[in-house]
Amino acid sequence: VLVGRDLECQTIRALVAGARVGQSGVLVLVGEAGIGKSALLDEAVDGVPGTLVLRATGTESEHELPFGGLLQLIRPALVHLDRIPAPQAEALAGALALHRGGGGDRFAVGAATLSLLSRFAEDHPLVLVVDDGHLLDLPSAQALAFAARRFTADRVAVLVAVREGLASPFTDGGLPLLRLRGLALEATADLLASTGSRSSAPVVARLHELTGGNPLALVELAGDSAALDPLPSGVPVPVPASLARVFARRTDRLSAQARTALLVAAASGTDVPLVARACELLSVDVSVLGEAEDAGLLSVDADVLAFRHPLVRSAVYSDAVPGARRAAHSALAAALHPDDADRRAWHLAEAALGPDEGTAQLLHDVALRAAGRSAHAVSASAFERAARLSPDRMQRTGRLVAAAEAAWRAGLTDVATALLDRASELRPPTGLRIAVSALRGRIAARTGSVEQARDLLLEAGADAAVSDPDTAVLLLAEGILACFFLADTASVATAADAIDRLLQLPASRAALGDRSRLVGELACGVAAVLTGRGGAARMRRAVRRLGVEDPVLGDPRVATWLVLGPLFLRESGTGRELVQTVVDGLRRRSVVADLPFLLFHVARDEATTDRWDVAGLTYAEGVHLARETGSAADLAACLAGLSWLEARQGRGVECRAHASEARELSAQRHMGLFQCWTLFALGELELGLGRPAAALPHLEQLVELLGELRLDDVDLSPGPELADVLVRLDREDDAREVAADYAARAAAKGQPWALARAARATALTCPEEEVDEHVARALHHHTATLDSFELARTQLSYGARLRRSRRRAAARPPLRAALGTFEALGAAPWADQAGAELLATGEAAPRRGASALTGLTPQEQQVARLLADGRTTREAAAALFLSPKTVEYHLRHVYAKLSIGSRAELSQRLGSRR
Ligand SMILES: Nc1ncnc2c1ncn2[C@@H]1O[C@H](COP(=O)(O)OP(=O)(O)OP(=O)(O)O)[C@@H](O)[C@H]1O
Ligand SMILES: [Mg+2]
């Protein structure tokens, strides 16, 4: 029985009890070897009535087998496979090798795992138990952690045990942890008593001191006084290490034959017939394992072999001489069934002494098979091992690059970078060198310095222009995206020119594929918009050629441009439906890693038109997914956008928090654009709240930063806001100067958005008699843009100026219009200003109530929005990577908070957008 773990048992029991009533719970037990994680798990889930316990245990020998752990765990749930969304079912079936296919995004397997288990839990409450989580194959662990983060209202409890100090998706992903420490002195005495050892109080105290209360160490050392004496007094030794020595000494006493059999067992797994066959090849009779059994090192039950403890296994294995280990693996490889190609390849790899192309090729095949099942982490290790075994330098380099690409797809950024470093040291030939720079650039763009990303991608693109124009176009296009984050328009122009040259290559030389041609056209269009050189016609042409069914829509490298193109166009007609199709498609296929970047652009579009409520949700989802996928650049972008929106909504606390995180992230990555956005946000926040003196330093800092970064695009300049602030501070002359400077730059750019803002700034500072004329010009330019907030700002400042010069009747219409827009958008502080101005003209404006969504959490808002738009619970669940139960749970809260009781009422309240 378990001693001294009452609290822990209670915690786990409460978790399981919660699961039975539909409150999901997750707990990751963390602690050193022998501390009692497995014992606690066994005790806690033993005989919980009315629940179904699903178990999986990680093992060293299965660590590189794709989704072995996941299959172990969810096998009983697979009866529901055809009841989850089809793309998810396909991804999961492919991952588990139930049929061919898969090979998509790793997150799809996580989303499918969530759906499947959630569905299974509708039949019975589930307790998922994963022991030795650190040894689970990585793709399985990633999928389970993804699902575990999302169980909310499902009848599911998740319990995982992980060794302390080892990286694992279970401990690195924000799941609740419970650290197991050693037993207290009293429990130590109880434990020792229960083993039958009659130790005196001083011996108990000494054992407790030496072992720190580690139960395994206590039990082993108490029965082994020989081990106790040589230990230095006073200092506790690292327990697992000293335990390993105890076990190793016990192994030493066995016969040579038994040691060989034990080593074969340690190298293989739990399958006795396999161990027997391998032993035979080594001329050892497997029955000698009886010696090890007698020594208490392992037990054999029917055909299954179990070590006394994982530490025994690792002690046996690491104590053996390398030659003996290789012989054991070699025998195991020979003893395996010929169909067991993956295991055989890994054993051969362990058996190999020095390079061996035959084995390298086998591992290369393992890697390809793993990639085909979305087990990218396994694919990476197999490629890496294949590289190490490759005699040929070119082969080795190619396999290292392939390993790096797989590691990146698996989300293992540091591993990928280290592999690229190794590939670079081998002085790769042109094609591979381009691949190395391209991946380095892609990694930098998402997680590192965006400046570096720009240089790497553009360089790789230029390098590829001759040998591989298709790749060159895609790389240059990616480079343009990095430039956008940096607000580096000069490089945008250069890259676009390079793409243009490739697009115009004579067909005789190198015909570009359809995909790169489309990406090239759209990228050049976006580049032209960014550099103020038109571009609209070109994008329109490219987009119009596409049907909603076009297969190219599913290609992730095209997806980005199909979203960006239409959004940069900012026209209601062209390509809008494409944006939705592409984003929905990515959601359906759970291409989670690509979503944050696109969500950022979609949100930005929503925030600069009239869909502020949705924009906030889209930004928030982008933030959430960017955090989960470790994409720092997208995180900075989404946070910056969100803070700016919140500034305008007058949500000061959130705005400041998000702005400061965004600033830190973007400063580290030289993402000048977003440093500017956050300053803009902080300035506008104060201005909106009617605190011009507080706004001034932020805006001045922004102007300074723009100068430092040489960001000359007038659309980034806060000229009109600064002029507004200065007028409010009675610094008329300064305001006039700022407005004039801005107007000159807007005229140079010649785009309506800037011209409208310029005319507003001028109207703020010009002599009385010119006001109407400038405002008329502003209104004229506003009609050419979709940004209703900017229009309302013009109407507000016009009305305010008219009111100050006592033209009260004339002031009212623009103020009313501004008030209406601000309220519809949810620009609370600006609505307050407009309302106050209107009141000062003698008109008490009836104020609308708060938005229907106020008071709902972001997830409740998202659920409400999707359901109001007519999606079913299951569709909404799949789109948000949640379980249907969780969607229903949020919906219940929405109903309660809005005091409604049906979807029809919900659609009515929120207005359907379908
Ligand atoms: N609280 C306890 N009371 C009594 N015995 C215990 C207790 N905790 C652990 N043990 C015993 O100590 C031994 C080691 O515990 P256990 O195997 O659970 O450790 P672990 O944390 O799972 O180690 P590892 O990380 O190596 O898997 C087992 O034999 C177990 O039965
Ligand atoms: Mg254990």
Side-chain angles (χ1 to χ4, degrees):
V1 286
L2 222 52
V3 299
R5 296 288 189 219
D6 294 348
L7 269 179
E8 290 84 353
C9 279
Q10 259 172 36
T11 308
I12 294 178
R13 265 188 225 114
L15 203 80
V16 173
R20 295 180 56 193
V21 297
Q23 288 166 8
S24 319
V26 183
L27 195 62
V28 181
L29 304 176
V30 185
E32 64 179 6
I35 203 71
K37 301 180 292 296
S38 303
L40 185 56
L41 283 182
D42 291 342
E43 169 93 5
V45 301
D46 187 33
V48 191
T51 60
L52 185 66
V53 179
L54 304 184
R55 295 196 68 132
T57 303
T59 59
E60 241 122 325
S61 56
E62 311 267 291
H63 185 248
E64 300 295 358
L65 297 185
F67 294 110
L70 187 65
L71 183 60
Q72 240 189 86
L73 188 78
I74 67 170
R75 196 190 293 273
L78 288 173
V79 292
H80 289 303
L81 192 58
D82 55 3
R83 295 195 186 86
I84 64 173
Q88 292 183 7
E90 217 165 283
L92 186 58
L96 300 177
L98 303 178
H99 60 62
R100 283 195 167 280
D105 197 80
R106 72 189 163 98
F107 291 103
V109 183
T113 301
L114 172 73
S115 298
L116 188 73
L117 289 171
S118 162
R119 176 63 193 80
F120 195 44
E122 288 178 28
D123 300 348
H124 2 237
L126 298 178
V127 182
L128 310 178
V129 179
V130 178
D131 198 0
D132 293 328
H134 53 282
L135 292 178
L136 213 63
D137 65 278
L138 206 50
S140 290
Q142 288 177 332
L144 285 171
F146 182 88
R149 277 194 292 275
R150 288 169 169 76
F151 288 122
T152 309
D154 303 280
R155 297 196 296 170
V156 178
V158 185
L159 297 168
V160 185
V162 177
R163 281 257 181 96
E164 198 159 75
L166 297 179
S168 139
F170 297 113
T171 44
D172 306 337
L175 294 171
L177 305 182
L178 177 64
R179 256 170 228 294
L180 282 195
R181 316 241 175 242
L183 299 177
L185 183 59
E186 242 165 88
T188 298
D190 292 346
L191 176 62
L192 292 173
S194 76
T195 63
S197 100
R198 259 164 299 162
S199 316
S200 62
V203 172
V204 172
R206 168 135 166 79
L207 277 169
H208 183 256
E209 179 192 22
L210 278 174
T211 61
N214 180 307
L216 182 64
L218 284 169
V219 173
E220 294 300 330
L221 292 182
D224 193 346
S225 50
L228 199 52
D229 293 334
L231 296 177
S233 171
V235 269
V237 278
V239 171
S242 65
L243 269 175
R245 272 201 301 282
V246 170
F247 291 130
R249 248 201 327 277
R250 243 181 261 171
T251 319
D252 289 344
R253 295 189 207 117
L254 304 178
S255 69
Q257 297 242 319
R259 283 207 304 269
T260 302
L262 200 58
L263 176 60
V264 171
S268 80
T270 62
D271 182 6
V272 175
L274 173 65
V275 174
R277 279 198 302 279
C279 282
E280 205 182 311
L281 291 169
L282 295 168
S283 308
V284 169
D285 190 315
V286 74
S287 65
V288 292
L289 277 180
E291 278 183 45
E293 213 174 357
D294 293 343
L297 292 167
L298 54 72
S299 63
V300 179
D301 186 6
D303 277 352
V304 178
L305 173 156
F307 278 92
R308 154 86 177 88
H309 193 270
L311 277 181
V312 178
R313 202 208 72 90
S314 46
V316 167
Y317 191 79
S318 57
D319 240 41
V321 293
R325 280 202 295 250
R326 281 195 295 272
H329 283 291
S330 173
L332 281 163
L336 275 168
H337 191 274
D339 287 351
D340 223 339
D342 283 13
R343 274 199 187 81
R344 215 166 80 78
W346 286 109
H347 280 305
L348 286 175
E350 293 298 343
L353 182 69
D356 168 0
E357 177 54 28
T359 306
Q361 187 56 51
L362 290 178
L363 280 162
H364 190 119
D365 296 341
V366 169
L368 292 178
R369 277 194 296 275
R373 296 169 55 181
S374 324
H376 302 297
V378 171
S379 180
S381 4
F383 270 129
E384 193 273 341
R385 185 57 79 85
R388 262 195 282 161
L389 289 170
S390 308
D392 177 62
R393 192 168 62 89
M394 275 276 272
Q395 283 272 27
R396 203 179 325 149
T397 320
R399 285 168 175 156
L400 282 174
V401 175
E405 277 164 355
W408 170 239
R409 293 192 76 185
L412 306 170
T413 312
D414 295 344
V415 176
T417 306
L419 287 163
L420 288 175
D421 289 346
R422 280 167 60 192
S424 298
E425 279 166 20
L426 297 175
R427 283 174 288 113
T430 314
L432 283 174
R433 201 184 60 235
I434 291 168
V436 168
S437 307
L439 184 54
R440 274 194 207 284
R442 215 162 285 150
I443 292 175
R446 284 272 165 91
T447 67
S449 152
V450 181
E451 259 175 12
Q452 242 169 39
R454 171 198 59 197
D455 297 345
L456 284 162
L457 290 167
L458 295 183
E459 212 177 275
D463 270 0
V466 178
S467 56
D468 184 355
D470 275 307
T471 301
V473 168
L474 296 176
L475 288 172
L476 290 166
E478 274 184 74
I480 289 181
L481 293 182
C483 298
F484 167 70
F485 274 6
L486 295 167
D488 174 0
T489 46
S491 303
V492 167
T494 319
D497 289 344
I499 294 182
D500 251 333
R501 279 195 297 279
L502 289 168
L503 289 172
Q504 285 154 19
L505 278 183
S508 56
R509 247 196 71 202
L512 283 183
D514 286 346
R515 177 174 82 163
S516 27
R517 192 163 285 284
L518 174 65
V519 168
E521 291 291 342
L522 288 170
C524 284
V526 167
V529 171
L530 284 174
T531 50
R533 299 192 299 192
R538 192 162 185 184
M539 277 196 274
R540 249 177 252 135
R541 268 200 311 277
V543 168
R544 289 219 178 103
R545 274 201 295 270
L546 286 169
V548 182
E549 298 291 319
D550 203 309
V552 83
L553 297 188
D555 188 326
R557 296 188 76 175
V558 182
T560 309
W561 293 101
L562 289 175
V563 171
L564 286 195
L567 293 184
F568 270 75
L569 270 180
R570 296 211 176 175
E571 295 175 345
S572 42
T574 316
R576 290 264 149 182
E577 70 291 346
L578 271 184
V579 175
Q580 202 58 45
T581 309
V582 170
V583 174
D584 284 354
L586 291 179
R587 284 186 190 282
R588 256 200 317 282
R589 288 179 292 118
S590 320
V591 188
V592 177
D594 287 347
L595 272 177
F597 176 78
L598 296 183
L599 290 176
F600 162 72
H601 285 285
V602 171
R604 178 166 181 260
D605 181 61
E606 290 161 347
T608 48
T609 52
D610 60 350
R611 307 187 61 193
W612 282 21
D613 51 347
V614 198
L617 299 180
T618 311
Y619 274 136
E621 189 186 11
V623 167
H624 177 75
L625 294 179
R627 278 194 210 287
E628 184 161 16
T629 56
S631 176
D634 298 332
L635 179 59
C638 289
L639 284 168
L642 185 57
S643 77
W644 202 351
L645 179 66
E646 286 162 342
R648 293 171 167 194
Q649 292 169 328
R651 301 168 57 179
V653 178
E654 294 94 331
C655 166
R656 288 194 190 92
H658 293 143
S660 98
E661 193 184 349
R663 269 185 85 178
E664 199 168 309
L665 284 167
S666 39
Q668 289 160 14
R669 293 178 173 73
H670 313 288
M671 295 167 67
L673 184 60
F674 301 117
Q675 286 167 273
C676 296
W677 278 27
T678 57
L679 285 171
F680 224 136
L682 296 172
E684 273 202 55
L685 175 69
E686 301 296 349
L687 181 57
L689 296 173
R691 298 194 290 235
L696 187 62
H698 294 302
L699 296 177
E700 284 178 339
Q701 214 182 322
L702 172 57
V703 172
E704 204 171 306
L705 182 62
L706 287 168
E708 265 170 43
L709 297 172
R710 278 186 242 150
L711 295 180
D712 299 327
D713 184 359
V714 64
D715 284 359
L716 287 172
S717 161
E721 287 72 19
L722 197 52
D724 194 349
V725 162
L726 292 169
V727 167
R728 291 180 201 221
L729 293 173
D730 293 324
R731 289 171 54 182
E732 300 282 346
D733 292 342
D734 294 335
R736 199 168 305 116
E737 204 173 301
V738 168
D741 171 61
Y742 185 89
R745 293 171 54 200
K749 179 159 185 176
Q751 290 292 103
W753 193 78
L755 289 171
R757 284 162 53 78
R760 170 170 89 228
T762 311
L764 275 172
T765 53
C766 67
E768 192 72 44
E769 57 280 9
E770 292 170 21
V771 172
D772 290 351
E773 170 201 332
H774 292 299
V775 168
R777 207 147 37 78
L779 294 177
H780 165 74
H781 290 304
H782 278 305
T783 56
T785 76
L786 295 169
D787 197 335
S788 51
F789 179 69
E790 288 292 336
L791 167 61
R793 291 276 293 271
T794 297
Q795 290 163 329
L796 169 61
S797 60
Y798 182 42
R801 180 133 199 210
L802 292 177
R803 198 267 305 161
R804 276 197 303 279
S805 42
R806 307 197 183 286
R807 293 163 60 188
R808 286 195 183 160
R812 282 178 198 138
L815 289 175
R816 275 186 219 124
L819 177 60
T821 304
F822 289 140
E823 285 200 316
L825 288 173
W830 294 97
D832 290 345
Q833 288 192 23
E837 283 293 342
L838 206 48
L839 199 60
T841 69
E843 179 171 306
R847 296 291 300 272
R848 289 206 325 192
S851 139
L853 294 173
T854 328
L856 302 185
T857 67
Q859 273 207 328
E860 288 164 1
Q861 292 187 33
Q862 261 180 326
V863 165
R865 186 72 263 161
L866 289 177
L867 295 180
D869 285 351
R871 282 200 180 71
T872 64
T873 304
R874 282 182 187 281
E875 285 168 349
L880 297 177
F881 314 108
L882 296 174
S883 75
K885 279 273 172 241
T886 299
V887 167
E888 282 167 11
Y889 163 86
H890 289 309
L891 184 62
R892 281 197 299 280
H893 286 228
V894 171
Y895 281 176
K897 286 184 182 173
L898 302 182
S899 309
I900 55 174
S902 72
R903 295 193 187 197
E905 281 177 275
L906 185 66
S907 298
Q908 207 177 10
R909 187 73 73 86
L910 268 66
S912 172
R913 291 186 195 268
R914 276 206 170 167

